[in-house]
Amino acid sequence: MSSPQPGTPVIFIERNETKVAIDACDAESISCVAQQAKLEKRLLLKLDTRMLILVVIYILNYIDRSNTTAARLQGFEQDLHLEGQEYSTVLSILYVGYIIMQVPSNLFLNWVGRPSIYLPCCMMVWGIISALTGALYLHSFTGALLARFFIGFVEASFYPGALFLISRWYKRDEVGLRTTLLCCGSLLSSAWGALIASGILGGMQGKLGHAAWRWLFYIEGSLTIFVAICATFILPDFPHNTRWLSPEERQLAISRLEEDVRANVNDPGESVDVSAVKGLWMALTDWKVWWFAGVATLQILAQSLGIFFPTLSATMGFNTTISLVLCAPPWIFTTLVAFVVSRHSDKNRRRFVYIAATDFAGIVGFIIAMCTMNITARYISLFLMAQMYAGLIVFYAWMSNSFPQPPAKRAASIALINALSQLGNVIGAYVWPTVWGPTYRYSMAICLACAVLVISMCWVMSRHLTSLNKRSEKEEHGAHEEGRVVPGFRYLVAARLQGFEQDLHLQGQEYSTVLSILFIGYILMQVPSNLFLNWLGRPSIYLPSCMIVWGVLSILTGITTNFTGALLSRFFIGFVEAAFFPGVLFLISRWYKREEIGLRSAIVTCGSLMSNGWGALIASGILEGMQGKLGHAAWRWLFYVEGSMTIFVAICAIFILPDFPHNTRWLSPEERQLAVSRLREDGTSESDDVTAMKGLWMAVSDWKVWWFAVAATVQLLSQSFCIFFPTLSATMGFNTTISLVLCAPPWIFTTILAFALSRYSDKTRRRFVYIAASESVAILGFIIAICTMNIAARYLSLFFMTQMFAGLIVFYAWMSNSFPQPPAKRAASLALINGLSQLGNVVGSYVWPSGWGPTYRYSFAICMATAALFIGMCWVMSLHLASLNRKMDTEEQAARENGEATSKRRYLV
């Protein structure tokens, strides 16, 4: 038996075709062995022949999805009068529908059990929509938006469904090659789709009075419908209900997978017969699903060049037809490379090394493209960039291998990862604005940074899975126990140190789920809450009311007795707490000028820093002195006392907080007029003629919102150490009380530094340099913590790490500065960024498994990598905003020369 390699979740076994169990045969008979091997070979040949239709479907899936980029070269934008970010929105809206439908679709497919009917029916629908798109697009942005959304909604069924179908027929060491053949469909679609488009766009202009780009949709949509009808008679269902299998073949297909599951199952007693809801829950509570989703999102964002490949080809200066023809060779070459790489990946039972190699080739391509506009070098760079898709194919095979059973969990996991990863496509649609062309250096830099982070995250996963393999080797039946996640969010950390987990009988990943569920509610409520606050106009009532509710919920957490109660209370606490932070940022932005926001944001955000310090001290006092009082455990008193304090402060806040400048009751008329005029002079209008929905749409369609959201997500992930600060303090070997007390000094020091940093940032009107400086200090702290367990050095590293919170405060001020008006857009932007960024906290809850302690080197490495990426993203944004400022300087200079008086607001960089 071969030893396991990095990048595989459990030990692979040598495939031995002579050991397939069929009841009708005697396994010891040589003739029976030969008969079994022959039958299995025939079964695989029959399956492979029929499964090839999936490749054809995937080609058409991608062609129907990406034909808009080819149509752009032949007047698509001009005919529809698209302006600004509208074209990018038309591209990205497809993935919104794509994300929404994937998980429900795969769960439904697992339940209905008829892929041969379900997948072709979905294909017919998207083919019809695509064929009608030429007419639906007509002359409006709205028609284009609706058609693209519903194409994505229906197309969502195919790819995760195809991966799930493959995983229901093939063994683990057979999945990689079949996944490769399937994914080659997307690569070939980029090649042949461009060739087909060049022929249609070159020869169909004006036929029957229709533009060539409309014919592109008519022809490709009709072709999709024809193939869907054929697929109904070709595709298999699942092994137990496929009609064209003989009884022997059906039994062989089932027994092959049963043997594969038995050989690789983590828990021999685990049932594979679970409901769809249970399977979904199992997927949601497995941290590897979220980790794979994060990697896939970054990988797809790094590969966003594929969406704009014809545009990049056109930068070499050729006409439309030649530019489209030149798109084909890189994708054909990548298809061949992907096939070879995936074949070797299966043969060598390794994943990570192949992903890293192909992504590194892509990085080299980005560097070449950033350095020169030479035609030859530029074209070579396109070949190298396209190689990242070969790595993505290996990644998909790795993903399928990592969730072998039960089928319901596998279906949910694959769909969930693939759905969340489409956020990369949504963001990627805004990464290539025409103002960055023809060099697109900023776009290349973004993709390069994402590729580096993908390699780092895959390396971490490979190390983790290798450790699981080693553990499996040591245990008698190959079973292994997943590493349990260590302490979490704020006072729950302290509560766990005093028996919280034991009293509620939490097991496995349940404690981690209790931590992360808060951020689900937090994410869901932020945008609606801020839009409601802008509409209501009464922060002095709304924010304290929310505060009272979460204080009551906190008290109720103290009386909970089980996992379900803790889960519900945490979810609703997050749901209500979501109103506060984005609401406060919005309130500050409605009162203060740009150079005043940083200091005020620092004062507010210092509350979170002080909570880490004083919260630990308060917790140490309560946990030390309240154990057993009135028959309650000390951790319950922690919730009672702190929840009651929250309610008391909320009541006081009702009489203290202001509303907005125009309706605050305790302002004199002169003060009110001054407050309004100050903001008007600063370029931040107080009047709001924009509805909440219009403001939300303006925020969603502004790529800077998504960029800030991703940057904030990366930053919160890099700061995930703060969730586990008491645990890191405890690694120095002190008892609970001392460990909690030692948490305070780093946060107190950071609070002082954050105040000074924000003050200077406002005074100098600069943001990026202060963010980069504080992040660099934190990176130094991570390096020290990785290199040594010396107590003094370890404690010093905690001081360094916490400095990144000072940078986060400046980042929040920068974010508020960048969306001045209208207020409805500002409210939606702040809430959207803060809401999406909480994904960093969700993922961060799983980045510190106890199996990596007490050194937590892998955890520190993750935080260090994400901090470096955050600096890179902020640098790109600062360059973009500086370029906008220079453009406004030029426009104002021209206006003054023409005798016009004009003054535009400048961005802080």
Side-chain angles (χ1 to χ4, degrees):
M1 182 174 292
S2 61
S3 61
Q5 303 290 344
T8 52
V10 292
I11 302 172
F12 275 98
I13 61 170
E14 294 282 354
R15 182 181 173 189
N16 187 345
E17 294 180 346
T18 65
K19 293 184 179 180
V20 178
I22 299 181
D23 294 338
C25 295
D26 181 3
E28 297 179 359
S29 168
I30 295 178
S31 61
C32 185
V33 167
Q35 180 183 355
Q36 292 169 15
K38 183 178 179 179
L39 182 60
E40 183 173 13
K41 185 176 180 179
R42 187 174 65 192
L43 172 65
L44 288 177
L45 179 61
K46 182 184 290 188
L47 275 176
D48 290 341
T49 303
R50 288 179 174 267
M51 288 288 195
L52 280 175
I53 191 68
L54 292 175
V55 179
V56 179
I57 296 174
Y58 202 19
I59 291 175
L60 294 172
N61 179 277
Y62 250 79
I63 286 176
D64 289 335
R65 187 188 310 177
S66 59
N67 48 20
T68 304
T69 58
R72 186 189 196 188
L73 300 180
Q74 200 69 15
F76 174 81
E77 280 184 286
Q78 293 76 15
D79 288 356
L80 299 187
H81 311 292
L82 302 184
E83 299 175 351
Q85 295 289 341
E86 289 182 340
Y87 176 75
S88 295
T89 305
V90 167
L91 288 184
S92 63
I93 195 67
L94 178 142
Y95 300 103
V96 176
Y98 201 74
I99 292 169
I100 292 171
M101 194 57 187
Q102 288 205 30
V103 175
S105 174
N106 245 25
L107 293 174
F108 180 75
L109 175 59
N110 182 59
W111 174 77
V112 76
R114 290 291 183 184
S116 65
I117 298 174
Y118 178 65
L119 294 181
C121 287
C122 292
M123 188 180 178
M124 288 181 200
V125 174
W126 92 61
I128 291 170
I129 296 175
S130 182
L132 293 175
T133 292
L136 287 174
Y137 277 162
L138 209 55
H139 302 293
S140 71
F141 168 62
T142 304
L145 211 62
L146 291 174
R148 289 280 293 176
F149 173 79
F150 285 110
I151 285 177
F153 194 81
V154 183
E155 279 194 354
S157 64
F158 175 71
Y159 187 68
L163 288 180
F164 181 50
L165 178 60
I166 289 172
S167 71
R168 289 294 297 268
W169 281 98
Y170 295 100
K171 295 168 70 174
R172 291 160 55 82
D173 53 351
E174 299 167 347
V175 165
L177 178 60
R178 276 73 184 183
T179 303
T180 300
L181 291 172
L182 172 65
C183 294
C184 282
S186 69
L187 303 180
L188 289 172
S189 73
S190 299
W192 301 118
L195 295 177
I196 294 170
S198 67
I200 296 174
L201 296 178
M204 298 297 291
Q205 181 64 32
K207 300 295 183 182
L208 299 180
H210 293 274
W213 65 263
R214 296 185 188 273
W215 281 107
L216 186 65
F217 291 105
Y218 299 154
I219 293 173
E220 293 181 349
S222 301
L223 187 59
T224 298
I225 296 171
F226 171 75
V227 173
I229 295 171
C230 297
T232 306
F233 304 98
I234 298 174
L235 275 178
D237 291 317
F238 295 141
H240 68 279
N241 64 346
T242 296
R243 291 158 295 187
W244 40 260
L245 287 181
S246 67
E248 294 81 6
E249 289 171 333
R250 179 174 292 106
Q251 178 61 33
L252 175 59
I254 294 172
S255 62
R256 275 166 34 89
L257 296 185
E258 287 178 347
E259 174 194 327
D260 196 44
V261 169
R262 282 195 300 271
N264 296 288
V265 69
N266 290 338
D267 183 359
E270 183 178 2
S271 171
V272 298
D273 184 20
V274 301
S275 66
V277 174
K278 176 65 174 176
L280 176 60
W281 177 251
M282 294 172 70
L284 289 172
T285 54
D286 188 342
W287 73 269
K288 292 194 298 296
V289 171
W290 297 98
W291 190 264
F292 274 114
V295 175
T297 301
L298 289 168
Q299 178 76 352
I300 289 176
L301 179 55
Q303 296 172 185
S304 60
L305 64 105
I307 306 175
F308 296 89
F309 213 77
T311 302
L312 294 178
S313 178
T315 61
M316 292 185 288
F318 301 104
N319 62 33
T320 299
T321 301
I322 298 299
S323 295
L324 287 171
V325 170
L326 288 175
C327 291
W331 295 114
I332 295 173
F333 177 69
T334 300
T335 303
L336 299 176
V337 172
F339 186 84
V340 173
V341 166
S342 298
R343 190 72 187 92
H344 277 275
S345 176
D346 273 355
K347 186 177 181 180
N348 297 328
R349 298 178 174 87
R350 296 172 69 91
R351 301 299 189 209
F352 166 69
V353 65
Y354 294 96
I355 297 171
T358 52
D359 274 20
F360 183 76
I363 290 171
V364 173
F366 291 131
I367 294 173
I368 293 173
M370 291 167 65
C371 295
T372 180
M373 286 296 289
N374 176 273
I375 294 177
T376 303
R378 195 81 167 180
Y379 197 47
I380 291 174
S381 73
L382 294 181
F383 276 82
L384 292 173
M385 293 176 207
Q387 302 316 305
M388 297 179 68
Y389 281 80
L392 181 64
I393 292 172
V394 177
F395 175 81
Y396 280 134
W398 194 17
M399 177 184 77
S400 297
N401 292 153
S402 300
F403 307 101
Q405 49 79 35
K409 178 187 176 182
R410 190 191 320 150
S413 299
I414 291 173
L416 193 62
I417 293 170
N418 201 54
L420 292 175
S421 70
Q422 299 311 309
L423 289 171
N425 277 320
V426 175
I427 300 169
Y430 295 90
V431 169
W432 300 81
T434 53
V435 295
W436 287 357
T439 63
Y440 292 103
R441 288 192 179 96
Y442 296 153
S443 307
M444 305 285 184
I446 295 166
C447 294
L448 187 152
C450 290
V452 171
L453 188 58
V454 165
I455 294 174
S456 302
M457 294 181 71
C458 286
W459 175 78
V460 171
M461 178 57 74
S462 73
R463 295 295 90 201
H464 172 65
L465 297 179
T466 301
S467 70
L468 294 184
N469 286 339
K470 291 178 180 178
R471 187 183 304 175
S472 297
E473 288 181 318
K474 296 177 182 179
E475 296 179 1
E476 184 176 356
H477 300 291
H480 70 273
E481 181 181 353
E482 289 285 342
R484 297 173 67 190
V485 179
V486 295
F489 180 77
R490 295 188 178 95
Y491 46 77
L492 272 182
V493 175
R496 192 190 189 196
L497 297 178
Q498 200 71 18
F500 173 84
E501 192 174 13
Q502 293 74 18
D503 288 356
L504 299 189
H505 311 292
L506 304 185
Q507 300 176 358
Q509 297 287 342
E510 288 181 342
Y511 179 74
S512 169
T513 305
V514 168
L515 297 183
S516 62
I517 195 67
L518 178 140
F519 299 107
I520 303 300
Y522 201 72
I523 292 170
L524 292 174
M525 194 56 188
Q526 291 209 22
V527 174
S529 174
N530 246 25
L531 291 175
F532 179 76
L533 174 59
N534 181 59
W535 172 82
L536 181 66
R538 291 292 184 185
S540 65
I541 298 174
Y542 179 65
L543 295 180
S545 297
C546 293
M547 192 176 175
I548 291 172
V549 174
W550 92 59
V552 171
L553 290 171
S554 182
I555 293 174
L556 292 177
T557 303
I559 64 175
T560 190
T561 58
N562 54 35
F563 169 61
T564 303
L567 207 64
L568 290 174
S569 64
R570 288 280 291 175
F571 173 80
F572 286 111
I573 285 176
F575 196 80
V576 182
E577 278 192 353
F580 179 73
F581 190 68
V584 168
L585 289 181
F586 180 51
L587 179 60
I588 290 174
S589 71
R590 292 291 295 265
W591 281 95
Y592 294 99
K593 297 167 71 173
R594 285 176 297 156
E595 65 271 16
E596 300 167 345
I597 285 178
L599 178 60
R600 276 73 185 182
S601 298
I603 294 172
V604 171
T605 313
C606 281
S608 68
L609 304 182
M610 296 299 291
S611 73
N612 289 296
W614 300 116
L617 295 177
I618 294 170
S620 66
I622 296 174
L623 296 180
E624 185 72 19
M626 297 298 290
Q627 181 63 31
K629 299 295 183 181
L630 300 180
H632 292 270
W635 68 263
R636 296 186 185 277
W637 279 107
L638 189 63
F639 289 104
Y640 300 155
V641 173
E642 295 184 348
S644 301
M645 289 171 58
T646 298
I647 295 172
F648 172 76
V649 172
I651 295 172
C652 297
I654 296 174
F655 305 98
I656 298 173
L657 274 179
D659 290 319
F660 295 144
H662 69 279
N663 65 344
T664 295
R665 291 159 295 186
W666 40 260
L667 286 181
S668 67
E670 293 80 8
E671 290 171 334
R672 180 175 293 107
Q673 181 60 37
L674 176 60
V676 172
S677 62
R678 272 167 34 89
L679 297 184
R680 186 179 296 115
E681 292 170 2
D682 193 47
T684 307
S685 175
E686 177 59 23
S687 62
D688 190 2
D689 298 326
V690 176
T691 65
M693 292 308 298
K694 177 65 175 177
L696 177 60
W697 175 251
M698 293 172 70
V700 170
S701 58
D702 187 343
W703 73 269
K704 293 194 298 296
V705 172
W706 297 99
W707 189 263
F708 274 114
V710 175
T713 303
V714 171
Q715 170 73 334
L716 287 183
L717 178 55
S718 69
Q719 294 176 183
S720 59
F721 67 87
C722 78
I723 306 176
F724 304 90
F725 211 77
T727 300
L728 296 180
S729 178
T731 60
M732 294 185 287
F734 301 106
N735 62 30
T736 299
T737 302
I738 298 299
S739 296
L740 287 171
V741 170
L742 287 175
C743 290
W747 293 113
I748 296 172
F749 176 72
T750 299
T751 302
I752 298 171
L753 187 65
F755 184 85
L757 200 67
S758 299
R759 186 73 184 90
Y760 276 99
S761 176
D762 276 353
K763 187 175 181 180
T764 59
R765 298 173 66 85
R766 297 178 67 86
R767 301 301 190 206
F768 169 69
V769 65
Y770 295 99
I771 295 172
S774 60
E775 293 291 319
S776 299
V777 172
I779 289 174
L780 177 61
F782 293 134
I783 294 173
I784 294 174
I786 290 173
C787 295
T788 182
M789 285 295 290
N790 176 272
I791 294 177
R794 194 81 165 182
Y795 195 48
L796 178 65
S797 73
L798 294 182
F799 276 82
F800 285 169
M801 292 176 209
T802 56
Q803 300 316 306
M804 63 170 28
F805 277 83
L808 180 63
I809 293 171
V810 178
F811 176 80
Y812 281 134
W814 193 20
M815 180 179 75
S816 299
N817 293 152
S818 300
F819 307 101
Q821 54 180 328
K825 177 188 176 182
R826 192 191 320 152
S829 299
L830 295 176
L832 195 62
I833 294 169
N834 201 56
L836 292 175
S837 69
Q838 300 309 313
L839 290 172
N841 279 322
V842 175
V843 178
S845 297
Y846 296 88
V847 170
W848 300 80
S850 58
W852 290 355
T855 63
Y856 294 103
R857 289 192 177 96
Y858 296 151
S859 307
F860 287 126
I862 294 168
C863 293
M864 186 172 68
T866 49
L869 179 61
F870 178 68
I871 294 174
M873 295 186 70
C874 288
W875 175 71
V876 171
M877 178 57 73
S878 70
L879 292 180
H880 172 65
L881 296 180
S883 70
L884 293 182
N885 287 341
R886 287 193 297 271
K887 182 179 179 181
M888 287 185 282
D889 288 340
T890 303
E891 291 174 351
E892 287 189 8
Q893 179 64 28
R896 281 194 295 269
E897 291 175 357
N898 294 330
E900 299 175 3
T902 180
S903 178
K904 295 184 178 180
R905 175 188 180 277
R906 299 295 188 271
Y907 291 99
L908 299 184
V909 296

